[in-house]
């Protein structure tokens, strides 16, 4: 493995980086690269895939430099760093703690004291993605496992004291941690403790009062949303106003979920007709986007025509809706768009329900023109080959396996390899060390089945 290959594999969380460290007697040459990535956030999307903390700890162990890296990690962890990097460092240190390191355990305790003694004056820097309330929450949760129920009691007391001074301090993520405490220690134990201490501690009473207040506000909000009725006409007016000021799809999600939750078939049909009647292509695209997860109830011929528009929003929305249909015209459209606009056009999604085995060569020839595979391409390749089988798809799936950034989607690619009967024993053994937990579990299960 070259240095470049190792660097790319490590950043993406591939298991072959760990295999390389285990097998290379001169593994020390990778030390600087490992240090570089340990001290930088290398997650693609920590909300869906988690951090690569466990993976990086496995890399450190394979490098046989545990003591050296422990001090490096601790120094960075104790500094001011972005939230996602903080999570990664926290996960690495938690692995040290689980392996019995008192130094790592004491580091969590020391960091907790730092946050606790700020007495609620926790900083939040949006531009640098630093939220000390979020980070204190992370440290407290780790201490639930390290120090047990005493850590939960300490956290509840500390947060209660801060809220007692300032009930509006929303920099503290107390509600999540109480629920997490119930998961770790049991709902009965937590509620019994809170009820008992409510009569003895003003701090715990303040915490419970704020929790109850927030619960009531959420219930009132949910009731308001449930009672809210959005008509097709009001929806059209809202979206027209949004289009004028340049709002994106993300801004209409609330209205889409509220409308679709209660929409009748008649209203869905009314919305579809409104799409066809709308002259403004940006508004047309946003309206069409509302129907993304609902079958378009009218003839799709106009949608096929919309894909030829110069308005990217309309093209993308049309493709999303068309991807739910199986139709020879859609297959022909997909091939045309892919050949004219390339693999990164959204046209690949049209093949999920319209794939033909003759498409394999074209997909691979377009795919290998890209040095890396974008997220939506990963998703499309995964969806195509978990819904269809082809024995000639190894090169395509292996390329996406190596070059894709999202580890959650890589798990889907491995499943697609297995579905198409092209998952080799070598790749399966690499997957045992993959950064994504479900991939590791899947590999272990298959290896036991294959008796490798």
């Amino acid at each position: 493995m070259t240095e470049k290959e190792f660097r790319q594999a490590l950043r993406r969380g591939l298991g072959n980086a760990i295999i390389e460290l285990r097998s290379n007697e001169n593994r020390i040459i990778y030390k600087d690269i490992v240090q570089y990535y340990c001290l930088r956030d290398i997650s693609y999307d920590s909300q869906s895939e988690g951090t690569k903390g466990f993976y990086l700890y496995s890399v450190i162990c394979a490098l046989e430099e545990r003591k050296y890296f422990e001090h490096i990690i601790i120094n960075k962890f104790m500094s001011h760093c972005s939230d996602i990097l903080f999570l990664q460092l926290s996960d690495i240190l938690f692995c040290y703690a689980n392996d019995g390191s008192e130094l790592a355990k004491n580091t969590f305790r020391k960091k907790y004291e730092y946050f606790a003694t700020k007495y609620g004056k926790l900083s939040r820097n949006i531009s640098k993605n630093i939220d000390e309330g979020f980070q204190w929450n992370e440290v407290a949760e780790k201490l639930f496992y390290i120090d047990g129920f005493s850590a939960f009691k300490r956290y509840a007391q500390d947060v209660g004291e801060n809220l007692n001074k300032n009930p509006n301090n929303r920099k503290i993520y107390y509600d999540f941690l109480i629920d997490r405490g119930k998961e770790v220690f049991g709902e009965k134990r937590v509620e019994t403790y809170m009820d008992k201490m409510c009569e003895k501690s003003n701090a715990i009473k303040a915490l419970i009062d704020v929790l109850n207040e927030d619960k009531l506000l959420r219930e009132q909000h949910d009731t308001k949303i449930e009672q809210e009725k959005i008509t097709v006409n009001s929806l059209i007016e809202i979206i027209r106003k949004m289009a004028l000021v340049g709002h994106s799809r993300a801004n209409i999600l609330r209205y889409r979920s509220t409308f679709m939750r209660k929409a009748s078939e008649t209203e869905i049909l009314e919305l579809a007709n409104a799409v066809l009647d709308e002259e403004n292509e940006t508004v047309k695209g946003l309206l069409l986007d509302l129907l993304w997860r609902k079958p378009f109830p009218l003839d799709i011929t106009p949608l096929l025509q919309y894909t030829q528009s110069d308005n990217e929003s309309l093209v993308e929305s049309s493709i999303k809706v068309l991807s739910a249909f199986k139709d020879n015209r859609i297959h022909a459209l997909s091939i045309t768009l892919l050949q004219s606009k390339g693999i990164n056009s959204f046209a690949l999604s049209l093949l999920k329900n319209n794939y033909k085995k003759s498409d394999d060569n074209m997909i691979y020839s377009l795919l290998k023109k890209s040095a890396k595979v974008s997220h939506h391409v990963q998703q499309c390749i995964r969806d195509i080959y978990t819904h269809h089988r082809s024995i000639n798809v190894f090169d395509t799936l292996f390329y996406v396996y190596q070059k894709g950034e999202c580890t959650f989607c890589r798990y889907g690619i491995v499943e697609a390899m297995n579905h198409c009967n092209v998952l080799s024993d070598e790749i399966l053994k690499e997957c045992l060390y993959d950064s994504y937990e479900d991939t590791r579990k899947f590999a272990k299960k298959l290896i036991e089945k294959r008796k490798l």
Side-chain angles (χ1 to χ4, degrees), residues 4-17:
K4 180 180 179 181
E5 289 171 337
F6 178 81
R7 186 183 296 275
Q8 291 178 345
L10 180 63
R11 181 174 56 79
R12 291 174 175 140
L14 287 162
N16 60 350

Side-chain angles (χ1 to χ4, degrees), residues 88-142:
Q88 177 176 292
L89 297 168
S90 175
D91 285 345
I92 297 173
L93 277 181
F94 192 60
C95 291
Y96 274 100
N98 280 338
D99 275 354
S101 170
E102 291 300 322
L103 181 60
K105 295 176 184 178
N106 286 329
T107 298
F108 279 111
R109 295 172 186 133
K110 185 177 179 180
K111 192 69 174 180
Y112 181 93
E113 293 297 334
Y114 164 77
F115 291 130
T117 53
K118 297 194 78 172
Y119 304 109
K121 296 179 180 179
L122 302 167
S123 64
R124 179 178 292 176
N125 189 323
I126 297 175
S127 63
K128 294 184 178 180
N129 193 26
I130 297 176
D131 184 341
E132 288 192 329
F134 173 83
Q135 294 185 10
W136 188 20
N137 182 93
E138 169 66 16
V139 172
E141 182 181 350
K142 289 293 194 288

Side-chain angles (χ1 to χ4, degrees), residues 3 97 123 129 176 190 243 246 263 279 320 332 350 355 398 416 423-424:
E3 182 179 306
S123 64
N129 193 26
F176 170 77
V190 169
E279 294 182 0
K320 281 183 178 180
L350 296 172
Y355 161 82
F398 185 63
L423 180 57
S424 67

Side-chain angles (χ1 to χ4, degrees), residues 148-164:
F149 198 61
S150 62
F152 174 83
K153 293 190 290 185
R154 168 74 192 278
Y155 178 79
Q157 183 72 25
D158 288 340
V159 170
E161 289 177 359
N162 289 332
L163 291 173
N164 202 22

